[in-house]
Amino acid sequence: MLRIGIADDEKEAVAELSEYVKDFMDKKGIDVKIDGYENGIKLEDRSALYDLVFLDIGMPDMSGIELAQKIRLTNRKLKIVYVTNYKNYYKAAFMVHAYGYLEKPVSQEKIKEILTEFLKEKRDEKHLTVLKLTDGTNYFADISDICCFEYDGNRKVKVHMYNKKCINISTTLKALEKEYGKYGFVSPYQSYLVNLARVEHFDIRNKLLIFDNGTNVEVAEKKTREIQAILAEYFHKRLEDK
């Protein structure tokens, strides 16, 4: 699943752009989560979550140029597309390595061009896996779309996907941990193996890992500190890699 952020102080502009992006991704059969922001300050704190962001340059409090400069201090790889009413920001935009520059009113065709190129680049980064279903057939999935594996007994495992679909496969958690540990899957409880990339936050009080699709998995009391440390290291590394 891809995550895209949109920052624009005009609600109508956020809604329109979100609709264009969602329509394009739906036609491609790609799961996407789109978050809209009415100012750049809120997006700055969450920029590490996204694969691509659209920034309006003329926002109050913090312009799109200022926001990009702050993002680039810790995140060199995030794709940034500027959306603006003005033509005289090209030089400033590309000083912060902008991925694209769109003038308002933005057309659906221009969005299509940007996203088509973006998907071509992302295709090489995708990690596909083959899951052996209980009926003996194969199911191809993007590892990033897996929230967690849940052991169901007798060599049966439920695979919980981001879209909340559940797939039944034949294997063991031990075998899955050996295969998927390198992709950031860890065990917070004896019956689960979770994908750190899908964890949005850790509710320490209730001992729950909350996924970015709203579902959750319990964390064993004895593993609370271990999971805290693992998450801290994971997100720190993620920021460094970007």
Side-chain angles (χ1 to χ4, degrees), residues 13-224:
V14 173
E16 182 180 56
L17 190 47
S18 296
E19 183 180 346
Y20 287 168
V21 173
K22 185 70 166 57
D23 181 67
F24 177 86
M25 294 299 182
D26 284 347
K27 289 178 179 177
K28 294 289 184 180
I30 298 171
D31 287 330
V32 62
K33 179 174 173 56
I34 304 169
D35 296 320
Y37 299 88
E38 291 180 37
N39 65 69
I41 297 174
K42 291 183 179 179
L43 189 150
E44 180 191 354
D45 295 333
R46 295 168 59 83
S47 63
L49 296 175
Y50 300 108
D51 301 288
L52 174 72
V53 294
F54 290 88
L55 305 181
D56 176 36
I57 289 181
M59 293 184 289
D61 300 324
M62 182 187 295
S63 73
I65 297 292
E66 293 172 317
L67 173 57
Q69 290 172 338
K70 289 179 178 293
I71 289 174
R72 285 291 180 246
L73 293 176
T74 58
N75 189 335
R76 302 295 296 177
K77 295 183 180 180
L78 177 62
K79 301 293 191 299
I80 297 174
V81 177
Y82 283 113
V83 184
T84 181
N85 286 311
Y86 307 102
K87 296 182 178 181
N88 59 341
Y89 281 104
Y90 280 103
K91 185 175 181 180
F94 289 99
M95 286 290 286
V96 288
H97 308 287
Y99 187 71
Y101 190 100
L102 301 174
E103 293 180 24
K104 294 182 178 180
V106 177
S107 70
Q108 199 162 1
E109 188 60 34
K110 289 295 183 181
I111 294 298
K112 180 180 177 181
E113 291 176 9
I114 288 283
L115 294 178
T116 297
E117 183 62 29
F118 171 68
L119 289 181
K120 286 180 182 178
E121 295 182 14
K122 290 295 292 183
R123 195 168 293 124
D124 293 335
E125 301 173 15
K126 290 173 75 67
H127 297 288
L128 299 180
T129 187
V130 181
L131 301 171
K132 180 70 69 174
L133 303 184
T134 52
D135 64 4
T137 60
N138 292 329
Y139 183 92
F140 291 84
D142 185 338
I143 293 176
S144 67
D145 287 336
I146 299 173
C147 284
C148 70
F149 296 102
E150 177 188 4
Y151 188 62
D152 203 27
N154 299 318
R155 291 184 60 84
K156 292 182 180 179
V157 174
K158 292 180 180 179
V159 186
H160 297 272
M161 308 297 289
Y162 173 79
N163 61 8
K164 298 187 179 180
K165 181 177 182 179
C166 190
I167 299 166
N168 296 303
I169 63 176
S170 300
T171 186
T172 64
L173 276 188
K174 185 176 182 179
L176 290 170
E177 190 167 12
K178 182 177 180 180
E179 182 176 356
Y180 292 93
K182 61 186 176 183
Y183 296 113
F185 282 73
V186 300
S187 177
Y189 202 79
Q190 60 182 359
S191 299
Y192 289 90
L193 191 65
V194 306
N195 184 1
L196 294 177
R198 293 267 67 90
V199 176
E200 190 162 82
H201 73 275
F202 183 13
D203 182 346
I204 300 176
R205 181 177 181 181
N206 295 303
K207 304 295 188 294
L208 294 174
L209 287 176
I210 312 298
F211 296 118
D212 53 5
N213 68 349
T215 59
N216 61 73
V217 165
E218 186 178 353
V219 176
E221 178 72 37
K222 64 180 181 181
K223 284 203 167 188
T224 299

